[in-house]
Amino acid sequence: MSDTSPVLASGPGECCLKGFVHLGEPKGEIIKIAELDTYIARPPSSADGKRIIMYFPDVWGINGSFQFNGKLLMDYFAAQGFLVLGVDYFRGDEVSKHRKHRNDTTTEPGFDYEAWKAKHIAFADEHVPIWMEAVAKQFGTEETKYAAVGYCFGAPYVMNALAGTMVSAGAFAHPAFLRESHFEKCAKPLFLSCAETDHTFPEASRHRAEAILKEGKRVYHFQLFSGIEHGFALRGNMDDVYERWAKEESASGIIRWFNLWLK
């Protein structure tokens, strides 16, 4: 990426290589869109398919060790009346192929996490716009409204979409790979679901992002959870009452935001 504006959210770190597997049975299926595996979760009513959420996953993708987490979250979004499509821009090479958890050195000794990230960023930067256009062509109509949501690795694709004309609103949780320019170019309503303790998007970065959005008179909403760490919205401990509440509040807040802007 040629953007040289100051970094506000850094890349996924070792903290991203941990989490809790959520229990449940995904209801969607994997299809191909623009030659990429895509998880599709359908709403209860076909009439509500006029609203589409495009989902951009974290480093665990939609088929990794935490595959159920993302799929169950997309199922939840779909149950609220949206057609949800989640892209596998890792093409089956999610991080769990190389590291099972942050302290794992046996699955692939010498795994180069930075090189892995760089490879997949280059691919996703090029192919996400192609995938989005294919989504609109295959599932959209003149009446369809779109939203974008991303977690960690997926956040910049939400912000790129918010700088364009396709989506009506966007949201991210515990983001990575964001620069000041992402917020400067943000032209649509943005929901930011944030953790108090976040190695990628710390307090100073949150405040700077807020200042940029405020200066640009953008429409935005910050959601901040105390005592919560990066990854809470997707890989938190559901046996912990507060972590479960934060995860569920993040998801329901995002849905309320999309309901507001995709009327």
Side-chain angles (χ1 to χ4, degrees), residues 45-148:
S45 170
S46 59
D48 286 331
K50 294 179 181 178
R51 300 187 301 170
I52 294 177
I53 295 176
M54 291 175 282
Y55 176 98
F56 301 106
D58 68 353
V59 296
W60 298 93
I62 61 172
N63 289 310
S65 296
F66 297 102
Q67 60 166 309
F68 279 12
N69 297 21
K71 289 176 178 176
L72 293 172
L73 185 57
M74 285 186 273
D75 287 349
Y76 166 75
F77 291 153
Q80 311 312 306
F82 295 83
L83 177 66
V84 186
L85 299 158
V87 61
D88 179 19
Y89 34 47
F90 302 116
R91 294 165 291 160
D93 186 40
E94 56 276 346
V95 77
S96 61
K97 297 281 187 178
H98 313 278
R99 296 277 291 277
K100 300 303 181 187
H101 51 77
R102 66 185 300 179
N103 298 316
D104 177 22
T105 58
T106 61
T107 301
E108 185 179 319
F111 170 55
D112 190 336
Y113 192 20
E114 295 305 314
W116 179 89
K117 285 184 282 188
K119 176 180 71 172
H120 291 298
I121 289 170
F123 180 86
D125 284 354
E126 178 180 355
H127 287 84
V128 162
I130 298 171
W131 179 83
M132 291 176 64
E133 290 295 334
V135 166
K137 183 177 181 179
Q138 186 170 342
F139 294 96
T141 69
E142 292 183 357
E143 298 178 345
T144 301
K145 292 188 176 181
Y146 302 90

Side-chain angles (χ1 to χ4, degrees), residues 20-51:
F20 295 83
V21 176
H22 298 168
L23 301 178
E25 188 63 36
K27 299 178 181 178
E29 61 180 325
I30 298 292
I31 63 173
K32 290 283 188 181
I33 299 179
E35 300 184 3
L36 296 177
D37 279 354
T38 301
Y39 183 77
I40 179 169
R42 300 182 184 277
S45 170
S46 59
D48 286 331
K50 294 179 181 178
R51 300 187 301 170

Side-chain angles (χ1 to χ4, degrees), residues 87 173 181 204 259:
V87 61
S181 60
N259 278 331

